[in-house]
Amino acid sequence: MSGTFEPRPGGGAAVALDEVEISILRSLVVQMLELIGPGDEPADGGDPLAALFAEGPSEPPADPALARLFPDAYGGPDRELGAEEEVEARAASAEFRRYTENDLRTRKREDALAVVRSLDALSSDAAASGPAADSVLLELDPRECTRWLGALNDLRLTIGTRLEVTDDEDGGELLRLPDSDPRKPMVLAYFWLGGLQESLVETLMT
């Protein structure tokens, strides 16, 4: 799994992916969608204004991976706060979360769904190309690049949390795990996604 993004003529980015890479990436994104959960969009005949002003949760998620995707806006483990400051930070975080988490979940869900749709279209192209094709070219316009960048970042945060990779380490020691370790496939996926994300960022900055 060594494909990296490169600039497209006229804007956007492109990367060659084979059938296995498409399958792995789609599976990871679908699992993340299941973790994020379904949307709260109103059913047919529902009140869209009510959904617009609906309040979200005030407490952080119990799942560590979700808590990484939806962190507190104030305070946190990296800040040393006194008891009174901690209370104020928790109250401010709860208020901020109540009015922003639903929108943030929607955006992350839409980013992930955009990736799934792109991969499904790519799978169709691969099938049409026949079994002789080693890989197919995924081409993204600038808007799709932004969606992909958000989803790749969320995937790495989720997998990094499951692997207990902290902000102070790059997880390089995980690469030395034996192949028999059940975490090894996820470690390889973590670094592969990191390469994709880094190359996409560099492509968008050129």
Side-chain angles (χ1 to χ4, degrees), residues 35-36 57 59-74 76-77 97 101 104-105 108 154 157-158 161-162 167:
L35 178 67
I36 293 173
E59 296 296 324
D63 187 296
L66 276 178
R68 188 75 184 275
L69 292 179
F70 305 102
D72 277 335
Y74 307 98
R97 182 182 297 278
E101 184 169 311
L104 185 57
R105 280 181 181 264
K108 290 181 181 297
D154 289 341
L157 287 175
T158 301
T161 302
R162 296 294 190 226
D167 292 334

Side-chain angles (χ1 to χ4, degrees), residues 37-44 46-48 51 102 105-107 109-110 113:
D40 297 320
E41 293 80 3
D44 291 343
D47 184 356
N102 283 348
R105 280 181 181 264
T106 297
R107 180 175 63 77
R109 191 179 302 112
E110 290 175 349
L113 284 171

Side-chain angles (χ1 to χ4, degrees), residues 163 171-188:
L163 293 172
E173 72 283 353
L174 292 172
L175 286 174
R176 295 189 288 272
L177 291 174
D179 292 342
S180 58
D181 193 298
R183 295 171 294 171
K184 192 60 176 284
M186 197 59 67
V187 169
L188 296 177

Side-chain angles (χ1 to χ4, degrees), residues 5-40:
F5 282 97
E6 296 182 359
R8 275 181 65 198
V15 62
L17 297 173
D18 62 32
E19 185 177 349
V20 173
E21 292 169 332
I22 294 170
S23 177
I24 290 173
L25 188 50
R26 189 186 190 283
S27 176
L28 291 173
V29 176
V30 168
Q31 290 178 58
M32 186 174 69
L33 276 168
E34 293 172 350
L35 178 67
I36 293 173
D40 297 320

